[in-house]
């Protein structure tokens, strides 16, 4: 439901009367939207949000109208139907389990429906503000709680969270806290007394109607620290922001850091890179999602910075340079006492092997490697894992379908 936050202010009229909330609670195969994605259907038939980009919305609206008519929650599994070409389903071949919960109009003297209350709370949030939502799902729902500091949330000190779970569900509480702290969305099954439920929903078409917790957590944007006020840093800043990172440009040289081409960064800092990184770590402003891209290509900056960066639990540390520069860097880091296993985690030469040469192409190469590392994607070849030239100069690239053979020469980012 957190995906609706950007449109809730303009769609506040949806919340004034009867409506239903349809939510993806399980997804498998190739599907367009993840677990937690929601759509609001008003009694008038108006819709806010989307679940599949058009594949199943018509059928979901009809189910939502039925839910509003009888006041009962319901669930439905949608998948690809080769037997019936006119059936509502996903042409991409995946499966979605949709949970639909009706919200009746407010009645005088009665408390507001929990979903109406939390939607009004979400509508008041600032863009990008950290927040989480925990909902009790099932045949009759059971409550919803907005958590304003999910990274620090603990059920023991938030009784409204514990109230969503019966006694004896300590494992569910631990899983809920883990999702809150780490971000993302998942559904946690809750077993009724005497019954067992699967570890994950989606194994049975009726799973969407079984007691469970839907936990969605949106943390503060992850940070990318770009060290090096040069052409490559200038190209990396907008590419990183497209991925949702809060970008900080750091360079010890005031004349370089002050250039207007770095103004797109959220922060521009003039300081020695290793000193800035140590201060941010001591202040608790770095976490396991933080990315560091070392683009200075100057040993007096790189070596003390990498010593510190490789001592922290960051999501990704990459350093620019040729293979020769990398080997020399490794020797000096080993001599400085950096553990070999930490050096092995360094992405150097930085980026994926996509033949990048220009600053913009290098930015794509770097961000592609960051995404691949974050998602543990197989089949992606980092430059550090291949031999031979890092890049081929544009003038020496062989045209498509050309018959001539050209020599490839290694070039270094210097």
């Amino acid at each position: 439901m957190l995906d609706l936050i950007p449109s809730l202010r303009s769609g506040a009229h949806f919340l004034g009367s009867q409506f239903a909330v349809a939510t993806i609670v399980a997804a498998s195969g190739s599907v367009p939207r993840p677990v937690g994605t929601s759509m609001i259907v008003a009694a008038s038939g108006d819709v806010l949000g989307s679940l599949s980009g058009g594949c199943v919305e018509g059928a979901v609206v009809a189910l939502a109208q039925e839910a509003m008519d009888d006041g009962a929650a319901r669930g439905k599994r949608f998948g690809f139907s080769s037997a019936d070409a006119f059936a509502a389903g996903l042409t991409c071949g995946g499966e979605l389990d949709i949970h639909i919960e009706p919200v009746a109009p407010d009645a005088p003297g009665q408390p507001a429906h929990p979903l109406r209350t939390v939607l009004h709370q979400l509508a008041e949030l600032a863009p990008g503000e950290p927040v989480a939502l925990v909902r009790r799902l099932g045949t009759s729902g059971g409550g919803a709680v907005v958590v304003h500091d999910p990274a620090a949330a603990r059920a023991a000190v938030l009784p409204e969270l514990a109230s969503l779970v019966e006694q004896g569900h300590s494992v569910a509480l631990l899983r809920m806290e883990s999702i809150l702290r780490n971000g993302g969305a998942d559904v946690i099954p809750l077993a009724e007394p005497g019954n067992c439920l699967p570890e994950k929903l989606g194994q049975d078409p009726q799973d969407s109607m079984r007691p469970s917790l839907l936990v969605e957590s949106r943390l503060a944007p992850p940070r990318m620290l770009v060290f090096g006020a040069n052409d490559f840093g200038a190209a990396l800043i907008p590419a990183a922001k497209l991925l949702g990172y809060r970008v900080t440009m750091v360079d010890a040289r005031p004349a370089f850091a002050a250039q207007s081409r770095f103004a797109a960064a959220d922060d521009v800092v003039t300081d020695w890179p290793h000193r800035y990184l140590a201060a941010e770590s001591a202040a608790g402003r770095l976490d396991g999602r933080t990315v560091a891209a070392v683009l200075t290509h100057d040993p007096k900056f790189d070596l003390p910075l990498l010593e510190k960066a490789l001592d922290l639990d960051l999501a990704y540390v990459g350093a620019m340079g040729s293979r020769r520069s990398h080997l020399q860097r490794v020797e000096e880091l080993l001599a400085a006492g950096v553990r070999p296993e930490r050096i092995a985690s360094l992405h150097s030469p930085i980026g994926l092997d996509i033949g990048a040469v220009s600053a913009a192409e290098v930015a794509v190469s770097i961000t592609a490697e960051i995404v691949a590392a974050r998602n543990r994607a197989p089949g992606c070849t980092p430059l550090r894992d291949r031999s031979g030239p890092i890049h081929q100069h544009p003038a020496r690239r062989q045209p498509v379908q050309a018959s001539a053979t050209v020599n490839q020469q290694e070039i270094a980012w210097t």
Side-chain angles (χ1 to χ4, degrees):
M1 191 181 290
L2 299 185
D3 62 297
L4 292 174
I5 290 177
S7 54
L8 280 175
R9 282 186 180 273
S10 60
H13 60 282
F14 278 78
L15 311 181
S17 58
Q18 187 179 31
F19 62 89
V21 178
T23 304
I24 298 174
V25 296
S28 62
S30 178
V31 294
R33 305 297 299 278
V35 168
T37 303
S38 293
M39 181 174 79
I40 298 176
V41 181
S44 63
D46 291 338
V47 173
L48 186 67
S50 173
L51 298 178
S52 69
C55 297
V56 303
E57 271 73 0
V60 172
V61 168
L63 289 170
Q65 295 287 359
E66 293 175 7
M68 286 184 279
D69 289 341
D70 60 26
R74 60 217 333 109
K76 177 72 174 179
R77 172 167 294 178
F78 293 94
F80 176 73
S81 174
S82 59
D84 185 356
F86 297 99
L90 299 172
T91 56
C92 49
E95 287 188 334
L96 292 176
D97 283 8
I98 309 295
H99 179 275
I100 301 171
E101 185 168 351
V103 178
D106 287 339
Q110 298 296 320
H113 192 285
L115 283 186
R116 191 188 305 277
T117 300
V118 301
L119 284 168
H120 279 294
Q121 293 175 12
L122 295 177
E124 297 301 317
L125 294 175
E129 181 178 343
V131 67
L133 176 63
V134 183
R135 292 172 56 192
R136 173 77 182 242
L137 303 179
T139 54
S140 58
V145 176
V146 173
V147 182
H148 291 283
D149 188 7
R154 298 293 184 274
V157 296
L158 290 172
E160 61 269 31
L161 286 179
S163 68
L164 298 177
V165 185
E166 300 92 342
Q167 283 188 327
H169 284 87
S170 57
V171 174
L173 287 173
L174 290 174
R175 288 179 61 185
M176 175 179 66
E177 291 181 353
S178 176
I179 299 169
L180 291 174
R181 291 194 303 269
N182 295 298
D186 203 357
V187 177
I188 304 171
L190 298 174
E192 296 176 323
N195 293 332
C196 295
L197 282 177
E199 283 295 310
K200 299 283 289 184
L201 294 186
Q203 300 179 13
D204 184 277
Q206 296 304 313
D207 282 347
S208 61
M209 298 310 298
R210 289 173 171 157
S212 58
L213 293 179
L214 171 58
V215 185
E216 302 174 72
S217 180
R218 186 182 74 181
L219 304 181
R223 297 188 65 188
M224 178 181 288
L225 309 179
V226 179
F227 298 98
N230 52 35
D231 290 346
F232 299 104
L236 183 57
I237 289 170
K241 290 182 71 66
L242 281 174
L243 293 178
Y245 285 97
R246 179 178 180 86
V247 183
T248 301
M249 165 60 71
V250 185
D251 199 293
R253 303 162 296 182
F256 288 80
Q259 297 176 47
S260 60
R261 59 180 175 158
F262 305 117
D266 296 286
D267 306 285
V268 177
V269 177
T270 304
D271 197 354
W272 277 77
H274 71 285
R275 187 166 59 194
Y276 173 78
L277 187 66
E280 291 298 285
S281 175
R285 289 190 284 266
L286 308 179
D287 59 28
R289 302 176 300 148
T290 301
V291 164
V294 182
L295 311 182
T296 45
H297 201 266
D298 186 333
K300 70 175 178 290
F301 296 125
D302 292 357
L303 290 173
L305 171 59
L306 288 173
E307 276 189 60
K308 181 61 182 177
L310 293 174
D311 191 46
L312 301 174
D313 291 324
L314 304 182
Y316 173 98
V317 180
M320 179 173 283
S322 67
R323 299 192 189 285
R324 182 174 59 253
S325 298
H326 172 67
L327 292 175
Q328 182 177 352
R329 186 184 290 146
V330 168
E331 290 179 1
E332 296 184 9
L333 289 172
L334 287 170
V338 181
R339 302 194 309 275
E341 63 271 21
R342 300 300 293 180
I343 296 175
S345 70
L346 173 63
H347 295 265
S348 174
I350 194 170
L352 286 189
D353 179 19
I354 62 172
V357 175
S358 70
E361 291 174 341
V362 170
V364 173
S365 171
I366 294 171
T367 52
E369 184 176 46
I370 291 170
V371 172
R374 183 175 65 190
N375 297 334
R376 296 179 175 86
C380 298
T381 305
L383 284 167
R384 66 175 182 178
D385 292 344
R386 67 177 289 272
S387 59
I390 296 178
H391 304 290
Q392 184 182 347
H393 193 279
R396 298 188 175 96
R397 287 178 176 169
Q398 181 174 335
V400 177
Q401 297 180 344
S403 58
T405 301
V406 296
N407 293 323
Q408 296 186 2
Q409 297 183 7
E410 176 177 355
I411 66 170
W413 284 321
T414 58

